[in-house]
Amino acid sequence: MSNPTTHKNKTLATLIAAVLGGIGLHRFYLYGIRDRFGWLHVLSVPLSLALMAANPQAPQLFTALPFVLSILCGCLEALIIGLTPDDKWDLRHNPASGRQSESHWILAVIIILTVGLGAMGLIALIARSFDLLFTGGAFG
């Protein structure tokens, strides 16, 4: 899966997933360029753009839904990566690197910010969806 000579940094992987998880860069960092799930994240962008171009009158929340879901999945993956114990992380991603992972306080800050931003994004998605579905977008 991963190159045995490189050491995958858990904090960096969590940060990449939190910030750029919507386009799958964390997947490419962890598993390489051939990762299928990473390419699914990348393909969510042109799919959303194609949906917007095909139906410009539709609410952008619905036409951009593949990318919005990809961003939320990136937040969830950031939490999963960040909350993985160091010993399990090393067994999975660093089996022969010769180094041990050691999480620091910055990882906790990234996890807290990811939870906050992810929760706000999910609540906003649900609220806007209900607004569009039940009132036709009367509130914005």
Side-chain angles (χ1 to χ4, degrees), residues 4-130:
T5 60
T6 60
H7 183 83
K8 304 293 183 187
N9 186 315
K10 186 170 88 167
T11 304
L12 179 60
T14 304
L15 181 64
I16 293 171
V19 175
L20 299 169
I23 57 174
L25 287 183
H26 64 291
R27 301 285 309 186
F28 297 129
Y29 171 71
L30 293 174
Y31 303 108
I33 197 76
R34 293 180 167 247
D35 183 60
R36 292 180 185 172
F37 290 112
W39 285 109
L40 282 176
H41 281 287
V42 171
L43 289 176
S44 70
V45 175
L47 178 60
S48 293
L49 292 173
L51 289 171
M52 285 182 201
N55 195 356
Q57 292 82 20
Q60 287 186 349
L61 177 67
F62 296 143
T63 56
L65 195 58
F67 185 56
V68 171
L69 292 177
S70 182
I71 291 170
L72 291 175
C73 287
C75 285
L76 182 62
E77 289 178 274
L79 295 176
I80 292 170
I81 292 168
L83 294 173
T84 302
D86 289 342
D87 55 342
K88 289 184 180 181
W89 174 263
D90 286 334
L91 282 175
R92 181 165 188 177
H93 296 286
N94 302 314
S97 72
R99 295 172 51 195
Q100 289 184 331
S101 295
E102 188 177 326
S103 298
H104 296 286
W105 63 270
I106 191 71
L107 181 62
V109 170
I110 294 169
I111 291 171
I112 291 168
L113 291 174
T114 302
V115 167
L117 293 174
M120 285 190 308
L122 186 58
I123 291 167
L125 175 66
I126 293 169
R128 183 65 177 148
S129 297
F130 282 1

